[in-house]
Amino acid sequence: MAGHSKWANIQHRKGRQDAARSKLFSKLAKEITVAAKMGDPDPEKNPRLRLAVKEAKAKSVPKDVIDRAIKKSLGGDAETYEEIRYEGYGPNGIALVVEAMTDNRNRTASNVRSYFTKSGGDLGQTGSVSFMFDRVGEIMYPASAGDADTVMMAAIEAGASDVQSDDEGHWIYCGDTDLNEVSTALEAELGESETAKLIWKPQAPTEISDLDTAQKLMKLIDTLEDDDDVQNVTGNFDLSEDVAAQF
């Protein structure tokens, strides 16, 4: 058990603050539509859809928006989105994985390449940085769910592989194919989690102690996340205590 990364905590708080943004709602709704279109429109029979709905609820997406996104998948006019992963290096050689969902591959590739280039980074080939990350399931509970030992025991019983706890909450990790099973088992013990999703988890994050580098990296990540086609951005880094305090 170890303390969670400072950057992840900042992201978590930022996610709460951004909950009212229509752009965020749109991205979450897109994931719901795609998940429903790929499988059963009933969340109880479709693990990916169930997790997408959970994530949307955690970000305060209204129920009618969620229902509309599911119904959209049933219509013949629903857009066809392609899931694409981009990999590259940002400022100071920090590895980044960018997950996109697009109906126009050329537009998205051009935009993402431009963002990397303008930041002084470099967009690489698929596989150029993903080997530095593990594809895992991440389940997040608030600190109020229980003390670290209680959550650790519940996670072990549920089949999780790792738990990281700090003052802000508990982050529970499991194999990518076990996410729905572990999440369901934990709900029986700890109640509903705040989020449960697949992520790219850095294996050995690079600590950033230079504020200028951190600001350039944050600007690139914000630019990428602001693109309508980009769903998630993950970096192989963490912030030093001093730099994190300034964010």
Side-chain angles (χ1 to χ4, degrees):
M1 183 170 62
H4 201 53
S5 78
K6 300 167 197 67
W7 167 235
N9 282 339
I10 291 170
Q11 273 187 309
H12 185 61
R13 289 196 296 271
K14 183 173 179 286
R16 284 174 168 169
Q17 293 163 0
D18 290 351
R21 290 171 52 199
S22 61
K23 188 179 290 288
L24 177 64
F25 283 11
S26 176
K27 292 185 180 189
L28 292 167
K30 186 191 292 186
E31 167 62 21
I32 289 171
T33 299
V34 169
K37 193 174 183 181
M38 289 176 65
D40 195 291
D42 181 356
E44 294 306 314
K45 300 176 183 177
N46 182 337
R48 176 170 173 174
L49 177 57
R50 177 175 176 270
L51 294 170
V53 170
K54 176 192 279 285
E55 185 70 10
K57 288 179 177 177
K59 296 296 191 297
S60 303
V61 176
K63 186 177 184 298
D64 65 312
V65 173
I66 294 172
D67 292 342
R68 197 158 57 239
I70 294 175
K71 288 177 182 176
K72 188 176 181 181
S73 71
L74 304 175
D77 58 344
E79 297 96 331
T80 299
Y81 292 108
E82 182 180 6
E83 294 179 280
I84 307 173
R85 185 176 81 240
Y86 299 98
E87 302 178 25
Y89 292 93
N92 209 37
I94 297 297
L96 295 173
V97 175
V98 181
E99 295 171 281
M101 202 175 279
T102 180
D103 58 358
N104 187 325
R105 175 190 280 260
N106 291 336
R107 175 193 66 221
T108 308
S110 175
N111 287 345
V112 171
R113 186 178 299 280
S114 173
Y115 303 147
F116 272 88
T117 300
K118 288 178 180 177
S119 74
D122 182 39
L123 185 64
Q125 300 295 319
T126 300
S128 60
V129 306
S130 57
F131 67 92
M132 302 180 199
F133 300 78
D134 293 320
R135 187 62 165 166
V136 300
E138 179 189 70
I139 304 158
M140 190 273 165
Y141 276 91
S144 59
D147 59 38
D149 288 341
T150 299
V151 173
M152 171 69 81
M153 291 307 298
I156 291 172
E157 288 292 323
S161 56
D162 187 28
V163 181
Q164 296 180 358
S165 297
D166 61 22
D167 293 341
E168 300 209 11
H170 309 278
W171 282 260
I172 300 164
Y173 298 98
C174 62
D176 56 345
T177 58
D178 301 329
L179 178 55
N180 187 57
E181 183 180 337
V182 174
S183 175
T184 301
L186 280 168
E187 279 188 19
E189 290 295 318
L190 302 175
E192 189 164 353
S193 62
E194 280 200 9
T195 64
K197 58 189 176 182
L198 289 173
I199 66 162
W200 292 92
K201 189 171 185 288
Q203 295 170 355
T206 298
E207 183 174 83
I208 297 178
S209 54
D210 176 64
L211 182 60
D212 183 57
T213 298
Q215 289 175 330
K216 288 178 179 176
L217 185 59
M218 295 307 107
K219 183 177 180 181
L220 170 58
I221 291 174
D222 284 345
T223 301
L224 285 163
E225 290 181 336
D226 204 41
D227 189 288
D228 290 340
D229 296 333
V230 173
Q231 294 291 101
N232 300 294
V233 182
T234 308
N236 186 35
F237 71 96
D238 195 14
L239 305 176
S240 69
E241 293 278 4
D242 290 345
V243 171
Q246 296 185 65
F247 278 92

